[in-house]
Amino acid sequence: MTKLSKYEKETSINWNEAENLASLRFNASLKRRLADFSRKYPLLCRLERSTPEGSVTYVLDKSRLSIRLIPPYSEERKAAASAYAREHGFQVLTPEQKTA
């Protein structure tokens, strides 16, 4: 068993119009959320397959899956969030600090 690179850790969602189930294959942190969801709602979501490399495939009711698109923040919203963070003691990181 070899460790996969981040590039190889892909997510795929199989969804067709004819069926009520979607199949999700993950090799990322979403695995924990799906595992929790499947334990809590076994009639809506189940683990179908897992691999030694760490990939898992879950099958779930399509009505439980949504994709959320988030628009970029405006400069005003970024400035307000930054000011709020400074006021409340949060450290604001620059892009250079994040990569270090």
Side-chain angles (χ1 to χ4, degrees):
M1 177 175 79
T2 61
K3 187 171 181 172
L4 298 175
S5 69
K6 287 192 175 207
Y7 182 81
E8 295 170 310
K9 293 179 181 180
E10 63 183 19
T11 298
S12 63
I13 301 171
N14 296 315
W15 176 303
N16 69 55
E17 299 292 327
E19 296 178 347
N20 292 327
L21 298 175
S23 173
L24 294 91
R25 185 172 57 88
F26 290 93
N27 215 334
S29 63
L30 193 50
K31 288 191 300 187
R32 181 186 48 77
R33 291 177 53 202
L34 280 166
D36 292 345
F37 190 83
S38 68
R39 279 191 294 277
K40 192 170 183 178
Y41 305 104
L43 296 177
L44 297 174
C45 180
R46 69 176 173 4
L47 175 64
E48 184 174 76
R49 177 175 43 248
S50 64
T51 67
E53 294 82 16
S55 175
V56 294
T57 301
Y58 282 87
V59 176
L60 74 148
D61 191 282
K62 288 193 310 190
S63 66
R64 302 294 96 208
L65 180 65
S66 70
I67 297 173
R68 195 175 98 185
L69 302 175
I70 303 168
Y73 286 170
S74 67
E75 290 303 317
E76 296 80 22
R77 184 170 178 185
K78 287 181 195 177
S82 182
Y84 178 88
R86 276 192 296 280
E87 281 178 32
H88 293 88
F90 293 98
Q91 181 182 6
V92 179
L93 296 176
T94 64
E96 296 82 30
Q97 290 173 311
K98 289 179 186 175
T99 58

